[in-house]
Amino acid sequence: MLSLALIGLLGGLITGISPCILPVLPVIFLSGGAMSARDADAPATVSRWRPYQVIAGLVVAFSLFTLIGSLILALLGLPQDFLRWAGIVVLVLIGVGLIVPKFQHILEKPFSWIPQKNVGTERGGFVLGLALGAVYVPCAGPVLAAITVAGSTGNIGPETIVLTLSFAVGAALPLLIFALAGRRVAERVKTFRKHQAKIRTIGGVVMIALAIGLVFNLPQLLQRLVPDYTSALQDQFASDEAIAEQLDLGGLENDQNKDLDLCTNGATELESCGTAPDIQGIQEWFNTPGNEAIDLADLRGQVVLVDFWAYSCINCQRSIPHINAWYDAYKDAGLTVIGVHSPEYAFEKEPRNVKAGAQNFGIEYPVALDNNLSTWTNYRNRYWPAHYLIDADGTVRHIKFGEGGYANTEKLIRELLLDANPDVQLPPPTDVADDTPDAGSTTPETYLSLGKMVNFAGTEEYASGTNTYRYPSDQPRDTFALKGDWTIDFQNATPANGEASIRLNYTAREVRMVLGGEGTVTVTIDGKSTEFEVSGTPNSYPIIPLGDSRQGTLEVTLEPGVEAYSFTFG
């Protein structure tokens, strides 16, 4: 528990000094020195506790919204951004109250029964903090990801609460320093005291401007324009093995999944690993009668294969032909396949994209859209693809993470079908070639986003925002480098000013690239260039077709408007 608290505090501190605080920084600073509107001629009466109230409100709001916000919204049937919009509305009301004292008095009336009833100014900092907590979204990181998934799935226990509170406190400590600085300015600077009415108006305008900026997502643009000076700390924090083990989503245990660790990955014999966890938190189903949901409890008597996948994942794409073959061969013998689509990228959360991908791969078995990773977490999963084999009594009997082992998995499917119905007539085993690359023989999946980049060979820092890159004079095997102006964030990389290029040294039989946006892509290999157009939904595009394994170098040039997500290899 203590280690989780330290991890959360460290993660919060890193977030609290990152560019993520820039959008709320002016409001935090002014919150320490906002003046009273009760008597314009009276001296400033800023409560000494107001900065602490603002930060306390932010910590409380952030913790509650992160832990149980998604769960409450789901129960009430409200959109996921409801709390964010509520926070924006409160910021506007507080801002107007600072500018128009009479309006502030109207705002205070509903809170008149509270001893410290001033909502928007010198004493009511807690409500302002609550509003900021609803709209303050720190940079994505492993701690926040673990907390958010736990909240959205309802798996909230003591460890998750400790992690959340320590993260919130860590993120708030730097903000408290700025709030205290604002209070000291208000107390000691003569000009500040003399022009308190103007300062109040400036504070109101800043709050309204923040609210408008949040409506149009302008803070994200601001963060991209400012170099992320904490990226190195965040990368080190995310890649630390001890931290990764603590934050591993596969470790979020509950009463349903606590026995899954009795299974060993890819075991050659059937095992017994507890009753299969529920399929929960699904946004939408398709390929079912009437697109109705499936309850595992209704499938007793059948053998069930739960397959976790994502449509742009190359590993899943090589696995799907085997699952399709098993479904076709054994569906009449008692096998049910459920594909749980758990997105890796934001564009994979769009239902029409997933349905188009499923159609392209010939998937006819039921698919569940697990956009909040609720079922993913309930199965303690960490991989694309991942197969969970469930017997006719509802017990998990086999788990296989990643590609390969298809003949073994099919053998166990056949055993379970015979156990469920000894009289069943099984067809011959399927005959689909196993195209799983040999370990170490293929360049690992190469991400172009900040959060997952591992094999960048350039001499510059691979940083968020817009930066200029040059190819290195010597580029190692299985790496990539950039040339030109690129804008990089936690989802993708895109040319910033004119065309920009990527040079890739690869080892593979096949090279594909996940691309989105609009524009032309030029691929140059051995001095020969070919072009193709990218349009619409992000998808996987072939760069080098499947053939014999080879080592080589290629260059991909993108027009502005094309989004590059990753290279995948076969």
Side-chain angles (χ1 to χ4, degrees), residues 40 124 131 151 170 175 198 201 223 277 290 299 303 335 344 373 378 384 411 523 543 548-549 570:
L175 297 178
K198 293 181 180 179
T201 301
Q223 291 173 27
L299 299 179
V303 176
L335 175 68
E344 185 176 13
L373 300 183
N378 205 33
W384 292 277
K411 174 180 75 75
V523 180
I543 303 297
D548 296 331
S549 181

Side-chain angles (χ1 to χ4, degrees), residues 8-291:
L9 186 65
L10 177 59
L13 285 170
I14 294 173
T15 298
I17 61 174
S18 74
C20 298
I21 71 169
L22 294 177
V24 300
L25 195 55
V27 175
I28 292 294
F29 184 80
L30 288 169
S31 69
M35 302 300 160
S36 173
R38 294 185 178 280
D39 187 350
D41 297 324
T45 56
V46 181
S47 169
R48 60 179 298 186
W49 298 109
R50 190 165 194 278
Y52 301 97
Q53 294 168 354
V54 173
I55 301 305
L58 190 149
V59 169
V60 170
F62 176 82
S63 301
L64 290 179
F65 295 163
T66 303
L67 279 173
I68 62 177
S70 296
L71 179 62
I72 292 176
L73 294 179
L75 292 175
L76 297 178
L78 298 173
Q80 289 293 313
D81 60 352
F82 175 82
L83 292 175
R84 172 177 173 272
W85 284 102
I88 290 173
V89 170
V90 173
L91 282 178
V92 171
L93 294 177
I94 293 175
V96 173
L98 286 172
I99 299 172
V100 184
K102 290 183 179 180
F103 183 73
Q104 176 191 322
H105 299 329
I106 296 175
L107 291 178
E108 292 174 359
K109 289 182 179 179
F111 299 90
S112 59
W113 60 276
I114 303 176
Q116 290 187 354
K117 59 186 177 181
N118 199 336
V119 176
T121 58
E122 77 278 6
R123 287 190 291 271
F126 189 76
V127 174
L128 174 59
L130 290 177
L132 291 177
V135 299
Y136 173 52
V137 182
C139 293
V143 176
L144 186 58
I147 295 169
T148 303
V149 172
S152 65
T153 59
N155 296 327
I156 301 173
E159 293 183 349
T160 311
I161 294 174
V162 168
L163 188 63
T164 303
L165 291 176
S166 60
F167 183 89
V169 169
L173 284 176
L175 297 178
L176 177 61
I177 294 174
F178 287 105
L180 290 174
R183 187 190 70 182
R184 290 185 178 275
V185 169
E187 291 174 344
R188 298 187 180 185
V189 178
K190 182 178 180 180
T191 302
F192 194 104
R193 298 197 301 269
K194 181 179 179 181
H195 300 285
Q196 56 180 298
K198 293 181 180 179
I199 298 298
R200 281 175 40 82
T201 301
I202 292 173
V205 171
V206 168
M207 290 186 191
I208 295 173
L210 172 61
I212 295 173
L214 289 166
V215 170
F216 294 99
N217 290 319
L218 294 182
Q220 294 182 11
L221 176 61
L222 175 63
Q223 291 173 27
R224 291 176 181 175
L225 294 176
V226 177
D228 190 354
Y229 41 81
T230 62
S231 59
L233 284 173
Q234 291 176 344
D235 291 342
Q236 182 178 359
F237 182 75
S239 60
D240 184 275
E241 291 184 3
I243 293 175
E245 182 178 354
Q246 289 283 350
L247 302 179
D248 187 351
L249 298 184
L252 293 176
E253 295 186 14
N254 58 40
D255 290 339
Q256 290 192 3
N257 63 30
K258 62 183 179 180
D259 293 328
L260 288 179
D261 54 8
L262 298 177
C263 274
T264 54
N265 178 28
T268 57
E269 302 295 333
L270 291 170
E271 300 173 313
S272 183
C273 316
T275 301
D278 292 338
I279 295 176
Q280 61 183 27
I282 299 303
Q283 174 179 316
E284 184 177 336
W285 288 81
F286 63 90
N287 287 353
T288 65
N291 291 332

Side-chain angles (χ1 to χ4, degrees), residues 362-421:
I363 294 175
E364 297 179 351
Y365 49 79
V367 174
L369 303 186
D370 186 28
N371 280 350
N372 290 325
L373 300 183
S374 299
T375 299
W376 168 285
T377 304
N378 205 33
Y379 274 72
R380 298 169 62 185
N381 184 39
R382 295 185 293 130
Y383 299 94
W384 292 277
H387 304 144
Y388 292 74
L389 191 55
I390 304 167
D391 68 15
D393 296 323
T395 300
V396 177
R397 303 297 301 277
H398 179 70
I399 297 175
K400 177 64 176 73
F401 295 133
E403 297 180 72
Y406 302 114
N408 179 60
T409 300
E410 183 172 11
K411 174 180 75 75
L412 299 180
I413 290 174
R414 295 171 68 90
E415 288 184 22
L416 290 180
L417 290 172
L418 287 170
D419 289 344
N421 181 8

